[in-house]
Amino acid sequence: MTEPARPIRVLLADDEAMVRHGVRLILRHADGIDVVAEAADGHQAVDAAAAHRPDVALVDIRMPVCDGLSAIAPLLALDPAPRVVMLSTFGDEDNVVRALGEGASGFLLKDEGPQELISAVRAAAAGDAVLSPGVTGSVIARMLRGGGSGLARSAVGDERIARLTSREREVLVMLGEGLSNHDIAERLGIGIGTVKTHVGAILDKTGSASRVQAALLAHRAGLVS
């Protein structure tokens, strides 16, 4: 008999107890997800992660003592390191670009729905990048202006898009919309493993170094409005 998969272990870090309570309630009703620890600031988050070894850390940006952005590096220095997803009521470009630059796996706005939060946790645990659609727009806007990573200065030609199959092109558009692998799989009615194969092919064929860079390509090629 096949043993059931180990639940995804989650750490919640937010200085507002009511927010932590709300997120915990949402995740409690999701199959295969356990909230194993909570923290009220960045220092507590790092200590809790070291003690409880979560797979995913949901970390608020604005916290006293040590904010979420400052906690990213020490969280990622742990062994094993959790996948860090930033939570915020703010989706401004500076916070998004800095969080991704520090190594966060994603950025999720707090006004996203319960299913989006659950999908984000599962996607992060699976190694996917997680970006709210609105946040993706901020990243793309910043990069198109040539800020931050410099990806907007890379050459983009129609021949890159021409290398893709029709299904890979569909998936590229969804990357541009900020969808996770889980969301893409549900929309197309295919397995997550198949989506990962398509994403890998897209990155290889277009010479994109990341999902965000592929999303940028989709925008610059006019595939996403």
Side-chain angles (χ1 to χ4, degrees):
M1 180 181 296
T2 302
E3 294 185 5
R6 182 177 69 84
I8 299 169
R9 298 168 61 82
V10 177
L11 161 70
L12 304 179
D14 195 298
D15 61 310
E16 296 187 34
M18 287 295 291
V19 173
R20 298 198 306 272
H21 178 71
V23 173
R24 177 186 282 274
L25 284 179
I26 291 171
L27 297 180
R28 177 184 296 171
H29 296 290
D31 291 336
I33 297 177
D34 283 345
V35 177
V36 297
E38 297 184 16
D41 63 54
H43 291 317
Q44 290 181 15
V46 175
D47 290 342
H52 296 278
R53 302 162 67 94
D55 302 300
V56 177
L58 297 176
V59 183
D60 184 31
I61 284 213
R62 300 194 176 187
M63 295 185 291
V65 183
C66 174
D67 64 35
L69 292 171
S70 300
I72 296 174
L75 282 170
L76 295 181
L78 296 174
D79 185 19
R83 304 281 292 182
V84 180
V85 176
M86 308 308 294
L87 288 175
S88 180
T89 53
F90 308 96
D92 64 274
E93 300 161 13
D94 288 341
N95 282 338
V96 176
V97 172
R98 180 181 167 191
L100 296 176
E102 291 285 342
S105 298
F107 200 110
L108 196 66
L109 298 179
K110 290 182 179 178
D111 59 4
E112 296 285 359
Q115 189 54 54
E116 284 73 16
L117 175 62
I118 294 169
S119 295
V121 169
R122 289 176 174 154
D128 296 339
V130 178
L131 289 175
S132 293
V135 169
T136 299
S138 296
V139 174
I140 296 301
R142 176 68 168 264
M143 291 179 176
L144 288 175
R145 292 200 302 271
S149 67
L151 295 179
R153 293 189 293 274
S154 63
V156 177
D158 290 340
E159 70 277 2
R160 286 182 171 189
I161 305 299
R163 297 171 189 163
L164 304 178
T165 66
S166 59
R167 178 47 61 91
E168 289 165 356
R169 187 184 176 108
E170 283 184 277
V171 173
L172 176 60
V173 171
M174 294 178 196
L175 291 179
E177 294 172 353
L179 299 186
S180 69
N181 283 359
H182 178 79
D183 294 331
I184 294 172
E186 285 196 342
R187 181 179 290 188
L188 295 178
I190 59 179
I192 291 182
T194 302
V195 175
K196 290 182 178 180
T197 298
H198 289 319
V199 171
I202 290 168
L203 299 185
D204 182 57
K205 291 180 181 180
T206 63
S208 300
S210 67
R211 293 168 68 96
V212 172
Q213 189 169 356
L216 175 65
L217 172 63
H219 280 261
R220 295 191 66 189
L223 300 181
V224 182
S225 59

